[in-house]
Coordinates of all heavy atoms in Angstrom, one line a residue:
A257 N -13.2 -16.6 19.0 CA -14.1 -17.0 18.0 C -15.6 -16.9 18.5 O -16.5 -16.5 17.7 CB -13.8 -18.4 17.6
K258 N -15.8 -17.2 19.7 CA -17.2 -17.1 20.3 C -17.6 -15.6 20.3 O -18.8 -15.4 20.0 CB -17.2 -17.6 21.7 CG -17.4 -19.2 21.8 CD -17.4 -19.6 23.2 CE -17.4 -21.2 23.2 NZ -16.8 -21.7 24.4
I259 N -16.7 -14.7 20.7 CA -17.1 -13.3 20.7 C -17.4 -12.8 19.3 O -18.4 -12.1 19.1 CB -16.0 -12.5 21.3 CG1 -15.9 -12.8 22.8 CG2 -16.2 -11.0 21.1 CD1 -14.9 -11.9 23.5
K260 N -16.6 -13.3 18.3 CA -16.9 -12.9 16.9 C -18.3 -13.4 16.5 O -19.0 -12.7 15.8 CB -15.8 -13.4 16.0 CG -14.6 -12.5 15.9 CD -13.7 -12.9 14.8 CE -12.4 -12.1 14.8 NZ -11.2 -12.8 14.8
E261 N -18.5 -14.6 16.8 CA -19.8 -15.2 16.4 C -20.9 -14.5 17.1 O -22.0 -14.2 16.5 CB -19.8 -16.7 16.9 CG -21.1 -17.4 16.8 CD -21.5 -17.7 15.3 OE1 -20.6 -17.7 14.5 OE2 -22.7 -17.9 15.0
F262 N -20.7 -14.2 18.3 CA -21.7 -13.5 19.1 C -22.0 -12.1 18.5 O -23.1 -11.7 18.4 CB -21.2 -13.3 20.6 CG -22.3 -12.9 21.6 CD1 -23.2 -13.9 22.0 CD2 -22.3 -11.6 22.1 CE1 -24.2 -13.5 22.9 CE2 -23.3 -11.3 23.0 CZ -24.2 -12.2 23.4
R263 N -20.9 -11.4 18.1 CA -21.0 -10.1 17.6 C -21.8 -10.2 16.2 O -22.6 -9.3 15.9 CB -19.6 -9.5 17.3 CG -19.2 -8.6 18.3 CD -18.4 -7.5 17.7 NE -17.3 -7.0 18.6 CZ -16.0 -7.3 18.4 NH1 -15.6 -8.0 17.4 NH2 -15.2 -6.9 19.3
R264 N -21.5 -11.2 15.5 CA -22.2 -11.4 14.2 C -23.7 -11.5 14.4 O -24.5 -11.0 13.6 CB -21.6 -12.6 13.5 CG -21.8 -12.5 11.9 CD -20.8 -13.5 11.3 NE -20.9 -14.8 11.8 CZ -21.9 -15.7 11.6 NH1 -22.9 -15.3 10.8 NH2 -21.8 -16.9 12.2
Q265 N -24.1 -12.3 15.4 CA -25.5 -12.5 15.7 C -26.2 -11.2 16.1 O -27.3 -11.0 15.8 CB -25.6 -13.5 16.9 CG -25.5 -14.9 16.5 CD -25.7 -15.9 17.6 OE1 -24.8 -15.9 18.6 NE2 -26.7 -16.6 17.7
F266 N -25.4 -10.4 16.8 CA -26.0 -9.2 17.4 C -25.6 -7.9 16.6 O -25.6 -6.8 17.2 CB -25.6 -9.0 18.8 CG -26.4 -9.9 19.7 CD1 -26.1 -11.2 19.9 CD2 -27.5 -9.4 20.4 CE1 -26.9 -12.0 20.8 CE2 -28.3 -10.2 21.2 CZ -28.0 -11.5 21.4
R267 N -25.3 -8.1 15.3 CA -24.9 -6.9 14.5 C -26.1 -5.9 14.5 O -27.2 -6.3 14.2 CB -24.6 -7.4 13.1 CG -24.1 -6.2 12.3 CD -23.1 -6.7 11.3 NE -21.9 -7.3 11.9 CZ -20.8 -7.6 11.3 NH1 -20.7 -7.5 10.0 NH2 -19.8 -8.2 12.0
G268 N -25.8 -4.7 14.8 CA -26.8 -3.7 14.8 C -27.6 -3.6 16.0 O -28.6 -2.9 16.1
V269 N -27.2 -4.3 17.1 CA -27.9 -4.2 18.3 C -27.6 -2.9 19.0 O -26.5 -2.4 19.1 CB -27.4 -5.4 19.3 CG1 -27.9 -5.0 20.7 CG2 -28.0 -6.7 18.9
S270 N -28.7 -2.2 19.4 CA -28.6 -0.8 19.9 C -28.5 -0.9 21.5 O -28.1 0.0 22.1 CB -29.7 0.1 19.5 OG -30.9 -0.5 19.8
D271 N -29.1 -2.0 22.0 CA -29.1 -2.1 23.5 C -27.9 -2.7 24.0 O -27.7 -3.9 24.1 CB -30.3 -3.0 23.9 CG -30.7 -2.9 25.4 OD1 -29.8 -2.3 26.1 OD2 -31.7 -3.3 25.8
V272 N -26.9 -1.9 24.2 CA -25.5 -2.3 24.6 C -25.5 -3.0 26.0 O -24.9 -3.9 26.2 CB -24.5 -1.1 24.6 CG1 -23.2 -1.6 25.1 CG2 -24.4 -0.6 23.2

Side-chain angles (χ1 to χ4, degrees):
K258 274 183 188 151
I259 289 183
K260 273 192 185 130
E261 172 71 19
F262 195 75
R263 260 215 215 110
R264 205 162 48 76
Q265 279 180 293
F266 279 85
R267 184 146 302 187
V269 165
S270 56
D271 195 348
V272 176

